[in-house]
C-alpha cells in the first residue's frame, strides 16, 4: 500500500464486512487504510454502522474524523425533484412530498421521494392523482380509506364488535371528531386513553377501530409498556407506519417511555439518537390501563390525549352476549371451512359465559375456553365423520363439567 503513492480510497458496502461475511475482521481491513500516511480514506457508513463498529473501537476511532451528512428536508427535496424531473408537473411533486413526508423514515430524502417518482415515470403515471394510489400499493394500505373513515359513525361501527360500553363508544366518537377539528395534520389520526377493568372490551375496541380505519384487525400492533425497551417505538413506526398502536399496561411504563409517547402524540413524531424523526401521523395511538386510581398518570399527561375513555364492568346479560358472539364467530368459520354449522343453544352460551368470565380477567379467557372445549369437540366430530356437509354439530356442555 505505502509504495503506491498518495491516493484517496473510498470504501463503501461495509455492511458485509461488519456482518462477518469476509475472511478478515473489520478492524483488520480498516486499520491499514486509517493509519496510512500515503492513502487518504473516505469510508461511507450509516449512523448505526459508525456507532456500532467504529466509535467503540479505540484502535480505529482516534484515527478518523466523523463527517455527518444529513438528508435533504422536504422543501429541499421538492426543489431537487423540480429541477431534475422537469417533465413532471409541479402539482405531482407537491403531492409526492405531502404523501411521503411522514412515511419510510429509514429512507432519507431525496431518495425516498425520487424512487417513487421514478416508478411513476416508468409507468407513465406521473400525474397528481396517480401519486396516492401508487404509495397505497407500495405501502400495502388504502390511504383513501383512512380519509373516508372520518365520515364513519365510529360509535355505531364499534358496536358491531363490542358489547355494552355505550358511553365509551360515544366518547371515542367524540375524540375522533375533536382530533379532526384540531386541524394539526402532523399529529396522529387520534390518540385515546382507555381505562377500566380487564376483559371488558378495550382490546376488542382497538381491533374494531383498526377494522374501520385500515380494513383489518391485523393492523393492531401491541406493546407491553411494562416491558418497553428504548428505541422500540422507532422500530414499530418504521415497520408499521399505518396501524393502531396499542400501548398496554401504560400506567406501568417508565417516565422515559411515557415521555416518548407524549412526544409521539403532541409533536406527531419521536426522534432517535441520530436525530431522525419517526412520524406517527398515520397511526392511532391507544394507551390502556386497568389502574383506575387518580394517580395512575398525571393530569397533564392525560390532557395530551384526544380522549380519556372509561370502560365499565359487564353485567351477566352482557357477558352472555359476548359468549354468543364468540360462538357465532366459531360457527361462521365452521361453515366457511367445513360446510357444517354449530348449534348455539342457550346452554352452550351459559356454559361459555359462566366458565369463561371472571371478575379479575373479565372475558379474556373465553376464546381459549371455546378453542379447548367446543371447537376441539367440533373438529373431532368432523374428522371422525360424525357430521356430513351441510349438517349441524350439537355439543352438550355438561361433558365439560
Amino acid at each position: 500500500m505505502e509504495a503506491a503513492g498518495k491516493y484517496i480510497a473510498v470504501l463503501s458496502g461495509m455492511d458485509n464486512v461488519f456482518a462477518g461475511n469476509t475472511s478478515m475482521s473489520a478492524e483488520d481491513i480498516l486499520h491499514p487504510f486509517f493509519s496510512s500516511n500515503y492513502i487518504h480514506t473516505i469510508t461511507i457508513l450509516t449512523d448505526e454502522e459508525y456507532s456500532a463498529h467504529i466509535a467503540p473501537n479505540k484502535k480505529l476511532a482516534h484515527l478518523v474524523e466523523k463527517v455527518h451528512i444529513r438528508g435533504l428536508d422536504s422543501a429541499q427535496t421538492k426543489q431537487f425533484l423540480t429541477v431534475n424531473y422537469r417533465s413532471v408537473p409541479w402539482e405531482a411533486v407537491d403531492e409526492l412530498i405531502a404523501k411521503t413526508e411522514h412515511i419510510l423514515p429509514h429512507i432519507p430524502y431525496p431518495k425516498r421521494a425520487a424512487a417513487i417518482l421514478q416508478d411513476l415515470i416508468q409507468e407513465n403515471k406521473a400525474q397528481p392523482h396517480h401519486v396516492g394510489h401508487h404509495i397505497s400499493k407500495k405501502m400495502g394500505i388504502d390511504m383513501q380509506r383512512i380519509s373516508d373513515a372520518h365520515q364513519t359513525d365510529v360509535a355505531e361501527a364499534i358496536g358491531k364488535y363490542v358489547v355494552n360500553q355505550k358511553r365509551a363508544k360515544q366518547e371515542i366518537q367524540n375524540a375522533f371528531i375533536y382530533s379532526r377539528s384540531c386541524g394539526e395534520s402532523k399529529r396522529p389520526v387520534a390518540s385515546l386513553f382507555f381505562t377500566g377493568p380487564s376483559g371488558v372490551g378495550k382490546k376488542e375496541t382497538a381491533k374494531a377501530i383498526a377494522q374501520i380505519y385500515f380494513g383489518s384487525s391485523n393492523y393492531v400492533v401491541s406493546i407491553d409498556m411494562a416491558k418497553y425497551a428504548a428505541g422500540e417505538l422507532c422500530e414499530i413506526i418504521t415497520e408499521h407506519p399505518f396501524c393502531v398502536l396499542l400501548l398496554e399496561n401504560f400506567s406501568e411504563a417508565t417516565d422515559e417511555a411515557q415521555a416518548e409517547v407524549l412526544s409521539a402524540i403532541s409533536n406527531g413524531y419521536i426522534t432517535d439518537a441520530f436525530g431522525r424523526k419517526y412520524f406517527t401521523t398515520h397511526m392511532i395511538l391507544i394507551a390502556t390501563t386497568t389502574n383506575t386510581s387518580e394517580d395512575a398518570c398525571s393530569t397533564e399527561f392525560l390532557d395530551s390525549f384526544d380522549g380519556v375513555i372509561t370502560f365499565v364492568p359487564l353485567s351477566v346479560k352482557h357477558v352472555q352476549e359476548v359468549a354468543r358472539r364468540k360462538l357465532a364467530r366459531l360457527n361462521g368459520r365452521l361453515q366457511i371451512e367445513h360446510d357444517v354449522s354449530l348449534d348455539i343453544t342457550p346452554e352452550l352460551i351459559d356454559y361459555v359465559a359462566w366458565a369463561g368470565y371472571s371478575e379479575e380477567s373479565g372475558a379474556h379467557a373465553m376464546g381459549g375456553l371455546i378453542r379447548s372445549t367446543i371447537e376441539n369437540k367440533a373438529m373431532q366430530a368432523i374428522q371422525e365423520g360424525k357430521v356430513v356437509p351441510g349438517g349441524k354439530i350439537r355439543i352438550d356442555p355438561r361433558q365439560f363439567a
Side-chain angles (χ1 to χ4, degrees):
M1 272 176 50
E2 297 196 355
K6 291 192 174 182
Y7 292 93
I8 296 177
V10 179
L11 307 181
S12 61
M14 294 299 295
D15 51 330
N16 284 322
V17 175
F18 295 139
N21 297 332
T22 59
S23 58
M24 298 174 64
S25 70
E27 182 179 304
D28 290 339
I29 292 174
L30 293 175
H31 190 267
F33 283 97
F34 290 176
S35 59
S36 174
N37 293 322
Y38 295 88
I39 295 181
H40 300 288
T41 303
I42 299 173
T43 307
I44 301 173
L45 304 172
T46 65
D47 289 323
E48 290 86 354
E49 288 171 342
Y50 178 85
S51 296
H53 302 286
I54 304 300
N57 190 316
K58 294 181 180 179
K59 191 174 180 180
L60 297 178
H62 78 283
L63 295 172
V64 301
E65 179 181 351
K66 179 183 175 182
V67 178
H68 190 265
I69 302 175
R70 295 189 179 276
L72 304 184
D73 62 23
S74 57
Q76 292 167 332
T77 299
K78 179 180 176 180
Q79 183 179 9
F80 171 84
L81 296 178
T82 302
V83 170
N84 289 278
Y85 297 89
R86 296 182 182 276
S87 62
V88 177
W90 65 266
E91 296 91 343
V93 174
D94 273 353
E95 184 71 5
L96 180 60
I97 297 299
K99 287 287 194 296
T100 59
E101 188 173 7
H102 302 144
I103 61 174
L104 304 172
H106 58 294
I107 303 176
Y109 273 148
K111 182 179 179 181
R112 185 192 318 170
I116 294 173
L117 186 56
Q118 288 166 5
D119 289 343
L120 290 168
I121 292 171
Q122 189 172 3
E123 296 173 9
N124 197 27
K125 294 182 177 180
Q127 297 298 320
H129 61 278
H130 293 134
V131 174
H133 176 74
H134 183 84
I135 293 176
S136 292
K137 184 178 178 182
K138 182 180 181 68
M139 301 299 297
I141 184 73
D142 185 355
M143 297 180 73
Q144 185 60 42
R145 183 187 181 97
I146 301 175
S147 298
D148 293 343
H150 290 325
Q151 312 306 319
T152 301
D153 186 327
V154 174
E156 181 180 346
I158 292 174
K160 298 176 182 178
Y161 304 89
V162 179
V163 173
N164 192 27
Q165 309 303 347
K166 183 177 180 180
R167 181 176 178 180
K169 294 169 189 173
Q170 189 56 54
E171 288 176 345
I172 292 169
Q173 169 89 357
N174 295 341
F176 275 98
I177 293 173
Y178 171 77
S179 176
R180 295 196 298 274
S181 68
C182 287
E184 298 181 52
S185 60
K186 291 186 178 182
R187 282 172 60 99
V189 176
S191 56
L192 308 169
F193 192 97
F194 291 174
T195 178
S198 182
V200 295
K202 297 190 293 294
K203 194 163 190 174
E204 288 300 314
T205 300
K207 291 180 180 179
I209 291 172
Q211 182 71 47
I212 295 165
Y213 274 83
F214 303 116
S216 171
S217 61
N218 292 332
Y219 282 91
V220 174
V221 179
S222 299
I223 302 179
D224 184 350
M225 294 303 291
K227 303 176 182 177
Y228 180 79
E232 191 175 350
L233 194 52
C234 292
E235 294 177 12
I236 288 175
I237 294 171
T238 300
E239 296 174 10
H240 307 281
F242 299 86
C243 74
V244 172
L245 182 57
L246 189 62
L247 308 166
E248 300 186 274
N249 301 317
F250 196 82
S251 58
E252 300 177 36
T254 64
D255 291 343
E256 291 78 9
Q258 291 195 18
E260 275 196 40
V261 173
L262 182 59
S263 174
I265 295 172
S266 302
N267 301 324
Y269 64 85
I270 59 173
T271 307
D272 69 9
F274 306 109
R276 289 174 300 205
K277 293 180 179 179
Y278 294 75
F279 287 91
T280 54
T281 309
H282 302 298
M283 304 173 77
I284 298 170
L285 272 60
I286 300 178
T288 72
T289 182
T290 57
N291 185 348
T292 57
S293 64
E294 293 183 2
D295 59 349
C297 290
S298 69
T299 302
E300 178 185 3
F301 182 82
L302 293 177
D303 284 346
S304 66
F305 287 85
D306 297 317
V308 178
I309 319 298
T310 300
F311 285 70
V312 298
L314 301 176
S315 67
V316 173
K317 180 180 178 182
H318 295 140
V319 173
Q320 289 174 325
E321 176 59 16
V322 173
R324 187 197 66 77
R325 291 191 183 192
K326 289 184 178 292
L327 288 170
R329 288 196 203 109
L330 171 59
N331 182 46
R333 291 205 314 273
L334 292 173
Q335 289 176 336
I336 294 171
E337 298 172 8
H338 303 284
D339 192 23
V340 298
S341 61
L342 175 68
D343 188 8
I344 303 177
T345 63
E347 292 78 15
L348 206 58
I349 292 173
D350 286 345
Y351 163 71
V352 173
W354 172 79
Y357 183 86
S358 70
E359 290 188 7
E360 294 77 19
S361 60
H364 275 316
M366 265 190 203
L369 175 76
I370 291 173
R371 285 191 297 273
S372 64
T373 56
I374 298 165
E375 185 173 355
N376 184 52
K377 283 294 181 183
M379 294 306 300
Q380 185 178 337
I382 293 169
Q383 292 168 2
E384 294 176 358
K386 294 180 179 179
V387 58
V388 297
K392 181 170 286 191
I393 301 173
R394 294 176 176 84
I395 296 176
D396 184 351
R398 290 178 294 180
Q399 65 186 292
F400 305 128

